[in-house]
Amino acid sequence: MNSTWVSLSALSSFLLSSVAVAGVLPNVQKNSQWFVDGQQTVMAKTKLTTRNKAKNVILFVGDGMGLSTLTAARILDGQNKGQSGEEGYLSFEAFPYSAQVKTYNVDAQTPDSAGTMTAMMSGVKTDVGVIGVDEGIERGVCSTVNGNELVTSLEVAEIKGLSTGIISTARITHATPAATYAKSADRNWEDVSDMPAEAVTAGCADIATQLIDFEKNLEQRFPGVDVDGIEVAFGGGRRHFLPKDASFNSADAVSAIEGDRTDGVDLTAKWQEQYQNGQYIIDQAGFDAMDASSTERVLGLFNESHMQYEADRGNDIAGEPSLTELTSKAIDILDNNEKGYFLVVESGRIDHGHHAGSAYNALTDTIEFSNAVQAAIDSTNPEETLILVTADHSHVFTIAGYPKRGNPILGKVVNVGATEPALADDGMPYTTVGYTNGKGFRNLVNETDADLSYNDDALAGRQNLTTVDTTTTGFHQETTVPLSSETHAGEDISLHASGPGAHLAQGVIEQSVVFHIINQSLGLIAK
């Protein structure tokens, strides 16, 4: 039976039944804005076409962006705009299709980013802490890499002739971005100084080297294949590309010796020698000076370590572009290829904000992530570009109590009908959002760098917040279990999809299915 006829027939039946049902509804119901909005939402989704093949795919990954993070960020975004907050949507929450994604690793109930991103990139779940290899690996043992390597969607996109790009606000060698291009027995092998001597002797390459040697490695792995390498790489982590020698320091170096590499190799110089038409940039000025229409490829390393939190970006020495700016520029460069492109965009510091126990930083970076997705929506044709938005895992971040509608999401709980904060059984107020474990309470007032929480020991248990403004940028929520860092959580996360092939994102799926959605939409692997 013709699928188009079935969908049109179903739509016709739906319209007729809606008219009939409307006749028996009381006016208070059918005229309610809630009812009208709900009906329009369903109708919009019902009318959508489901083209299968995409020219381009953009995969957005909000690192650590669990469902509670989405809810709280949505509310904070609305409240920042003078609204109650609960009624709003982040940009991608308006996408027509979504799925619930199981995140466990092969050997872990609660996962890490290396195993989860490897699953999304390769279609194969693997162990905690390893990158681009299957579960046959033994973490930290170089000899077990050979024969267990996986092929990623970015690699196959290169082989197909698409342009490719990687963006991360974390170090570009960090687990999530690294899983697009590297094969490593340990996610921590970001440069040679991080590796045990036996691994170096055995011939395993560090992750930074693998990024620079991506084109060569892919062609060696698949004889006869001719690729032109990654066109766009934006992120932090410059230290892993530079020798441990002050003479190699960049203009905005924070440390006395910026580089970490103990092999004396300047990978930034090596990249520029390989790609003489490419641009290597380190700051906002270099970024702004790029002409996307004529840029062949670019390596942008904007910080010694991770890029700044969005709230702290103004404090960067030489200036850093926002995730929205990075995304827009990458699309403008990649779409110079008529064959299409595959772009991966990670907001890595959502995760770091949570680890530091700062809801403010985690949520602010989530809002900027949403802005970056909107920029991609605005810059692409929905008939030819599939946009997928997901997370790699969640965090032990909670929304609790019975706060009234519009109560500041970062504030203390004020119950419905009340004007003063509710008191717990210990006689003290408590916040709506909090963490199950981690570093615990900090009152850093106007500080915007969440990582300063690591300067002090963990402080668990209840604190008297009566005179504390919990909505400031430097407030860190209370916790129950004291740990050196707040942990990931094991519950499912969400996948949101729009564009050709978006309808494949439905139901409850394994995280590895994300690869298959990308593959099906771009036609990467022939039958």
Side-chain angles (χ1 to χ4, degrees):
M1 184 178 290
N2 185 287
S3 59
T4 302
W5 183 88
V6 171
S7 61
L8 289 175
S9 176
L11 175 59
S12 177
S13 297
F14 179 81
L15 289 170
L16 289 172
S17 62
S18 295
V19 172
V21 171
V24 299
L25 289 174
N27 288 336
V28 67
Q29 181 175 353
K30 67 182 180 183
N31 293 331
S32 163
Q33 195 61 46
W34 299 106
F35 188 88
V36 173
D37 288 349
Q39 190 172 39
Q40 289 176 345
T41 298
V42 171
M43 288 299 297
K45 291 182 178 180
T46 305
K47 293 176 182 176
L48 285 169
T49 59
T50 54
R51 289 182 60 233
N52 292 314
K53 298 303 178 184
K55 177 183 178 182
N56 317 302
V57 170
I58 306 175
L59 173 64
F60 283 91
V61 181
D63 197 317
M65 191 180 69
L67 293 179
S68 57
T69 301
L70 288 180
T71 303
R74 176 198 312 148
I75 295 172
L76 180 61
D77 185 39
Q79 292 180 345
N80 287 343
K81 298 171 181 175
Q83 303 161 357
S84 295
E86 298 86 355
E87 70 282 358
Y89 293 90
L90 298 174
S91 60
F92 50 89
E93 292 181 317
F95 283 4
Y97 295 97
S98 63
Q100 187 175 317
V101 182
K102 298 189 286 182
T103 63
Y104 65 93
N105 294 147
V106 169
D107 60 346
Q109 197 169 70
T110 297
D112 91 319
S113 297
T116 52
M117 191 61 174
T118 294
M120 287 191 276
M121 283 290 97
S122 69
V124 178
K125 281 190 177 252
T126 192
D127 290 346
V128 161
V130 300
I131 291 172
V133 289
D134 70 10
E135 62 186 283
I137 193 80
E138 183 177 346
R139 184 173 182 179
V141 180
C142 172
S143 61
T144 63
V145 172
N146 187 35
N148 289 311
E149 301 97 329
L150 299 168
V151 179
T152 71
S153 49
L154 184 135
E155 291 172 323
V156 186
E158 273 286 322
I159 293 172
K160 189 177 179 181
L162 304 183
S163 289
T164 56
I166 311 162
I167 299 173
S168 178
T169 53
R171 296 190 294 270
I172 200 69
T173 50
H174 214 233
T176 303
T180 66
Y181 62 83
K183 323 293 172 191
S184 182
D186 197 307
R187 59 174 288 172
N188 296 322
W189 292 356
E190 294 185 60
D191 73 62
V192 66
S193 71
D194 301 320
M195 300 174 66
E198 57 268 25
V200 178
T201 302
C204 278
D206 62 84
I207 293 169
T209 296
Q210 290 189 57
L211 176 60
I212 302 305
D213 289 343
F214 174 83
E215 180 179 346
K216 180 187 73 174
N217 290 343
L218 191 57
E219 290 177 346
Q220 287 180 347
R221 191 172 174 200
F222 299 100
V225 163
D226 182 21
V227 299
D228 61 2
I230 298 166
E231 279 77 14
V232 175
F234 288 146
R238 199 186 309 140
R239 72 189 189 197
H240 297 300
F241 296 82
L242 297 175
K244 195 170 186 176
D245 182 336
S247 66
F248 289 88
N249 280 11
S250 306
D252 62 345
V254 176
S255 303
I257 300 177
E258 181 179 26
D260 277 354
R261 300 193 66 84
T262 52
D263 59 2
V265 177
D266 180 356
L267 290 177
T268 65
K270 182 178 179 181
W271 183 88
Q272 291 174 87
E273 290 169 7
Q274 289 176 186
Y275 303 110
Q276 295 186 13
N277 291 330
Q279 297 186 51
Y280 170 58
I281 58 175
I282 66 169
D283 54 22
Q284 184 78 52
F287 179 84
D288 291 340
M290 275 195 305
D291 179 358
S293 64
S294 60
T295 298
E296 179 181 303
R297 70 184 68 243
V298 57
L299 172 63
L301 300 176
F302 300 102
N303 206 294
E304 181 177 315
S305 183
H306 302 303
M307 294 180 67
Q308 306 289 353
Y309 288 105
E310 175 60 22
D312 203 40
R313 195 160 51 82
N315 294 323
D316 189 70
I317 295 173
E320 287 182 359
S322 67
L323 186 62
T324 297
E325 292 174 314
L326 293 170
T327 300
S328 296
K329 185 82 78 172
I331 291 171
D332 288 345
I333 294 170
L334 295 175
D335 69 8
N336 293 331
N337 185 348
E338 287 301 318
K339 292 182 179 179
Y341 59 83
F342 176 54
L343 173 63
V344 178
V345 181
E346 185 211 17
S347 178
R349 309 232 65 192
I350 299 170
D351 178 70
H352 299 163
H354 280 320
H355 279 310
S358 169
Y360 172 83
N361 281 90
L363 301 182
T364 301
D365 271 55
T366 302
I367 293 169
E368 172 58 19
F369 178 72
S370 174
N371 295 338
V373 175
Q374 186 62 54
I377 296 168
D378 296 340
S379 302
T380 57
N381 181 349
E383 292 295 311
E384 62 182 24
T385 302
L386 170 64
I387 299 178
L388 300 171
V389 183
T390 189
D392 46 1
H393 55 73
S394 184
H395 275 267
V396 291
F397 175 64
T398 63
I399 304 175
Y402 298 102
K404 62 184 178 181
R405 173 79 181 274
N407 197 60
I409 190 64
L410 295 175
K412 301 163 192 171
V413 170
V414 177
N415 290 336
V416 175
T419 57
E420 296 296 322
L423 301 181
D425 287 350
D426 57 11
M428 294 187 291
Y430 56 100
T431 56
T432 301
V433 297
Y435 293 94
T436 303
N437 60 41
K439 297 294 286 187
F441 169 74
R442 303 282 189 272
N443 185 21
L444 305 181
V445 193
N446 296 321
E447 180 57 58
T448 51
D449 181 2
D451 293 348
L452 292 183
S453 67
Y454 294 110
N455 291 342
D456 298 308
D457 294 336
L459 178 62
R462 293 280 286 139
Q463 306 295 318
N464 191 343
L465 304 177
T466 302
T467 61
V468 176
D469 183 356
T470 65
T471 65
T472 61
T473 59
F475 179 78
H476 292 230
Q477 284 71 22
E478 295 167 300
T479 191
T480 304
V481 180
L483 291 176
S484 60
S485 175
E486 180 266 0
T487 72
H488 298 170
E491 72 267 16
D492 299 351
I493 50 86
S494 58
L495 169 66
H496 307 262
S498 178
H503 62 287
L504 300 173
Q506 296 188 58
V508 180
I509 63 173
E510 296 287 357
Q511 198 157 34
S512 47
V513 172
V514 173
F515 167 87
H516 299 286
I517 295 173
I518 296 168
N519 172 52
Q520 179 67 26
S521 299
L522 284 177
L524 295 177
I525 301 174
K527 292 182 180 179

